[in-house]
Amino acid sequence: MSNEGKKVKVHYTGTLDDGTKFDSSVDRGEPIEFTCMVGQMIPGFDAAVKDLAVGETKTVHIPAAEAYGEYNEELIQKIPVSQIPNGDQLPVGQTIYMQGPGGQPFPVFVKDITDGVATFDMNHELAGKDLNFEITLVECAD
């Protein structure tokens, strides 16, 4: 039976190939809820949940292309600090939020500031990484 289009609640633990845990609904004590196969989740995660039965646990390996995509060098941007409000206060090595064309905030990683130029990485922090998930379907409703 397919869960496509249904509201589901799942518990999951996500790890990288080296075993590093990057996220866990189990640790937070709160399952995540989403509608299966409508694009709310990364493609590989959606596909893993699609045919799960309530109470079933599945372990999946999701290649980068089916997770947050491959790392894209074109998403590295250099901007003169003088063109950035409070540019002299940018936290190198941390993620900040910038405002997109529609006013929506989006995260960018401040890689470096050299000679008055800030280098930003707009790739998702997990871009280019294969992911592993242990997923348990907790609830499913039409």
Side-chain angles (χ1 to χ4, degrees):
M1 187 164 119
S2 175
N3 296 320
E4 187 167 352
K6 295 179 181 177
K7 276 202 182 302
V8 296
K9 285 186 181 180
V10 302
H11 263 305
Y12 68 91
T13 298
T15 58
L16 302 176
D17 283 346
D18 67 3
T20 303
K21 187 188 315 181
F22 63 84
D23 195 12
S24 174
S25 67
V26 177
D27 291 352
R28 288 190 300 278
E30 184 72 33
I32 61 164
E33 183 175 338
F34 62 97
T35 302
C36 190
M37 301 302 291
V38 297
Q40 294 176 338
M41 304 299 289
I42 58 173
F45 195 96
D46 248 351
V49 173
K50 182 180 173 188
D51 296 317
L52 277 180
V54 173
E56 184 180 0
T57 298
K58 182 184 224 179
T59 301
V60 294
H61 175 82
I62 302 174
E66 304 228 345
Y68 292 96
E70 298 298 340
Y71 190 84
N72 183 348
E73 288 293 334
E74 292 177 15
L75 293 178
I76 304 295
Q77 301 289 315
K78 294 182 181 284
I79 302 171
V81 173
S82 62
Q83 294 180 13
I84 303 167
N86 301 314
D88 58 332
Q89 298 171 25
L90 287 169
V92 175
Q94 293 184 32
T95 298
I96 63 168
Y97 285 84
M98 293 190 138
Q99 200 167 33
Q104 292 290 82
F106 66 95
V108 297
F109 182 75
V110 183
K111 279 186 81 154
D112 183 47
I113 298 176
T114 304
D115 298 327
V117 177
T119 302
F120 297 103
D121 185 345
M122 292 182 255
N123 284 285
H124 187 281
E125 64 183 319
L126 294 172
K129 296 183 173 152
D130 292 348
L131 308 179
N132 302 289
F133 286 96
E134 182 177 89
I135 305 167
T136 302
L137 182 58
V138 176
E139 195 176 298
C140 182
D142 289 331

